[in-house]
Amino acid sequence: MSKAEAFRALHRGRPHGDPLVLPGPWDAAAARVLVAAGFPALATPSAGVAASLGYEDGDTPADEMFAAVARIARAVDVPVSADVEGGYGLAPRELVERLLEAGAVGCNLEDSAGGVLKDPREHAGYLAEVRAAAADALFVNARVDVFVHGDGDPERAIERAALYRAAGADCVYPILAPPALVPLLRSGIEGPLNLLARLDGDGPSPAALGELGATRVTFGPGLQRRAAAALREIAAGLLP
């Protein structure tokens, strides 16, 4: 079984309450720690990688992002999915080629740009071209930004999710969806559902998100920010 097949299989037939938990490494060292802890796959966070490279979220040049993903994928023997934001303006075939060259078996693609939601039908067309170019070599996770850059209407999120699934997305990701709305989203969205877990204690645990209907749980840049906070505390204790 290839890594892409193994990654896709991890999403299938998961029991209710048992989501696939995908931590987000920001560099190769973090990736190795997470694999040693027992995680079967990883999902890089664009904001976490940006911070590790000295950029603000959304400002990482495409070449540097793909190089960072390649270092992470090369350092571990488990499947790695990559958050490539909105695709960096690349044509679908080039985006797919660069992801595969980096060793990624999946990707996140946002449906907003510059804080504004994209036209959902145009974005669905882009996703369909990515799917056609990738065939089964990439697991496509389509982010739905209604709750971060839209009006927070769950029905709008469900409508966009349906378009993206019809276009060939393997999974949809309504980022920052309020927990109270997750059962409604789950009832209206077919297929795998990715939800965000927060590491600050302000929100449900991964297991609780699984009970609400999550197929998989990711953390965005949460782990990188926790690590940075721990380093700040250690550094402060080193000063005379």
Side-chain angles (χ1 to χ4, degrees), residues 92-93 95-96 107 109 125-135 138 140:
R93 182 166 296 280
L95 175 66
V96 168
C107 65
L109 286 168
Y126 182 80
L127 291 173
E129 291 186 57
V130 170
R131 166 55 63 222
L138 286 176
V140 178

Side-chain angles (χ1 to χ4, degrees), residues 8-164:
R8 186 167 275 106
L10 286 170
H11 294 78
R12 291 197 199 104
R14 302 199 69 86
H16 182 75
D18 181 30
L20 173 62
V21 178
L22 294 175
W26 55 96
D27 62 17
R32 285 177 169 166
V33 168
L34 294 169
V35 170
F39 289 97
L42 306 173
T44 68
S46 62
V49 173
S52 76
L53 297 174
Y55 294 102
E56 295 297 319
D57 185 22
D59 290 343
T60 310
D63 287 349
E64 294 197 43
M65 183 62 76
F66 286 113
V69 171
R71 287 191 293 271
I72 290 168
R74 187 169 58 244
V76 296
D77 59 1
V78 303
V80 174
S81 183
D83 183 346
V84 288
E85 303 178 270
Y88 306 112
L90 299 173
R93 182 166 296 280
E94 183 179 0
L95 175 66
V96 168
E97 289 174 352
R98 298 200 66 176
L99 282 162
L100 296 178
E101 287 171 359
V105 300
C107 65
N108 278 17
L109 286 168
E110 303 171 3
D111 71 341
S112 64
V116 178
L117 290 175
K118 297 177 181 178
D119 179 276
R121 296 191 180 277
E122 290 182 4
H123 187 59
Y126 182 80
L127 291 173
E129 291 186 57
V130 170
R131 166 55 63 222
D136 291 331
L138 286 176
F139 186 97
V140 178
N141 189 33
R143 210 175 88 171
V144 177
D145 287 358
V146 166
F147 299 104
V148 61
H149 295 310
D151 59 8
D153 183 347
E155 294 298 335
R156 194 180 308 277
I158 291 170
E159 290 169 2
R160 295 173 84 90
L163 286 171
Y164 304 159

